[in-house]
Amino acid sequence: MNNNVPATTAVKNGFKKANSVRRQSFLMEIFRRWPFYVMALPGLLYFIIFSYLPMFGAVIAFKDYNPIKGVWGSKWIGFKNFEFFFKSDAVWRVTFNTIFYNLVIMVTVTVISVVFAILLQETGSRLRTSLYKSVMLLPFFLSWVVGEYIVYALLSPDQGVMNGIRRSLGLEEIQWYGEPLYWRFIMPLAFILKSVGYTSVVYVAALLGISSDYYEAAEIDGANKWQKAKFITIPLLMPVVIILLLLSLGKIFNGGLGDWGAFYNLPRESGILFSTTDVIDTYVFRSLRTVNDIGMSSAVGLYQAVVGFVLVLITNSLVKKYDSDSSLF
């Protein structure tokens, strides 16, 4: 037993020295590259303040929250806040709508954005490319409140453009705000028009990183534009596409991939349309506004976050098995 004591002490001292060396090398690395760390500091502080610190508020989901008593003084009630949501009649409706719209938006926006990015690359003129980018980016900077009035101007039962066209053609008018089925197509279309421009610009930036040597070699072999896009552009762009899709999966349980304002504003709170436009976020917002139950809202928010996190982990593991270089971690 006594012979093992010096060996154990030596191992401990070795670990201490190794940790000290690593700590010194880490500090030297920060000192050497301090301008880069200073530039990264605002983004790091943003995520700490607005993403990580609010995580402590998740405890409200398990309490009967009382503003007077505060978070820690409120009574623990376990999973009762979750029961309120999962036992309600709307749980399956809003869950299906949330998943349906997010999957449709994610797939359609990705496909159309990649196509537009490839087309922008083939314009052959910087001036035209810049003009197209500016025009495509404009809807992205418009709020959904502005979008609400644009959609209403198009779909208004009396003065809307769409019904005006139908009247001029001798067709019957459509009560757009009274027919839920039409909104299965209107909502994804609105997201496509708003998001495609921004996402296309992201993919254009990724395309600029592809070496021109590939295209020159393909031209020598007699490849046309379609073949170059199929065998060079799309395969080399896939890692970026996969990463963006993985990041989007984390928001799949949020309305409109985290932008639920469309589902709140565009249908104009029409109760008839709730069967096809009500998502988890709008349901929670209305519940919080009418019932004023902060604990229930926190429970649903925690449910969304946990499911989104699990989906990212599962999808990332599947991608890692297929192509480890395209996974997030």
Side-chain angles (χ1 to χ4, degrees):
M1 294 295 294
N2 294 332
N3 294 333
N4 293 333
V5 174
T8 305
T9 305
V11 170
K12 290 182 178 179
N13 291 333
F15 278 121
K16 289 181 179 179
K17 289 181 180 179
N19 291 332
S20 177
V21 171
R22 282 196 294 267
R23 193 180 303 110
Q24 291 177 1
S25 62
F26 176 71
L27 294 176
M28 288 297 297
E29 178 69 15
I30 294 178
F31 180 76
R32 238 187 350 255
R33 303 178 184 272
W34 67 268
F36 298 101
Y37 288 98
V38 171
M39 287 190 292
L41 186 60
L44 181 62
L45 290 176
Y46 172 84
F47 281 105
I48 291 175
I49 295 172
F50 294 102
S51 297
Y52 287 95
L53 289 181
M55 282 182 167
F56 294 101
V59 70
I60 298 176
F62 305 95
K63 290 197 169 192
D64 183 12
Y65 180 70
N66 188 329
I68 298 177
K69 296 181 180 179
V71 176
W72 303 113
S74 299
K75 180 183 177 182
W76 286 93
I77 57 174
F79 291 94
K80 288 186 178 179
N81 287 325
F82 294 88
E83 292 178 7
F84 177 87
F85 174 68
F86 287 106
K87 289 183 178 180
S88 66
D89 298 333
V91 58
W92 297 114
R93 183 192 72 212
V94 297
T95 301
F96 172 78
N97 287 339
T98 303
I99 297 174
F100 170 79
Y101 284 119
N102 279 290
L103 288 177
V104 171
I105 292 167
M106 194 163 46
V107 173
T108 54
V109 169
T110 299
V111 173
I112 297 174
S113 298
V114 170
V115 172
F116 276 24
I118 295 173
L119 293 176
L120 286 172
Q121 190 187 33
E122 297 295 334
T123 55
S125 172
R126 290 185 178 179
L127 180 61
R128 285 201 300 268
T129 302
S130 300
L131 178 62
Y132 295 153
K133 286 180 183 178
S134 301
V135 174
M136 292 170 62
L137 274 173
L138 180 61
F140 180 77
F141 295 104
L142 297 177
S143 70
W144 286 116
V145 176
V146 177
E148 174 189 354
Y149 288 101
I150 294 175
V151 172
Y152 187 72
L154 293 172
L155 305 181
S156 173
D158 301 324
Q159 304 297 327
V161 175
M162 297 300 296
N163 278 339
I165 295 174
R166 293 183 66 87
R167 281 194 298 267
S168 64
L169 296 175
L171 299 175
E172 185 180 353
E173 297 179 358
I174 295 178
Q175 299 298 318
W176 300 98
Y177 289 92
E179 296 289 342
L181 181 61
Y182 293 118
W183 290 84
R184 290 286 186 205
F185 306 94
I186 294 173
M187 296 305 303
L189 181 60
F191 272 94
I192 290 171
L193 293 174
K194 184 176 173 64
S195 306
V196 161
Y198 174 79
T199 314
S200 298
V201 172
V202 174
Y203 288 131
V204 167
L207 290 176
L208 294 176
I210 299 176
S211 175
S212 60
D213 295 340
Y214 295 110
Y215 298 104
E216 293 173 0
E219 289 178 359
I220 294 174
D221 292 337
N224 54 34
K225 291 185 177 181
W226 163 247
Q227 291 172 329
K228 286 190 289 185
K230 181 180 179 181
F231 296 106
I232 298 176
T233 304
I234 295 178
L236 293 178
L237 195 63
M238 283 308 296
V240 178
V241 174
I242 292 173
I243 289 174
L244 291 179
L245 287 176
L246 284 173
L247 294 174
S248 298
L249 279 172
K251 301 177 181 178
I252 197 170
F253 263 70
N254 292 4
L257 298 180
D259 194 359
W260 66 279
F263 294 95
Y264 179 73
N265 288 289
L266 297 189
R268 300 176 67 88
E269 282 289 280
S270 176
I272 301 176
L273 303 179
F274 283 169
S275 61
T276 57
T277 61
D278 200 17
V279 293
I280 293 177
D281 291 288
T282 54
Y283 172 79
V284 171
F285 179 76
R286 280 196 307 274
S287 299
L288 181 61
R289 188 177 60 185
T290 56
V291 182
N292 196 26
D293 192 336
I294 298 177
M296 184 273 293
S297 303
S298 301
V300 180
L302 181 60
Y303 160 70
Q304 289 178 284
V306 171
V307 173
F309 179 68
V310 171
L311 285 174
V312 170
L313 291 179
I314 294 173
T315 309
N316 185 77
S317 62
L318 294 176
V319 172
K320 196 171 185 178
K321 291 182 180 180
Y322 173 74
D323 183 8
S324 59
D325 295 332
S326 299
S327 61
L328 286 175
F329 47 84

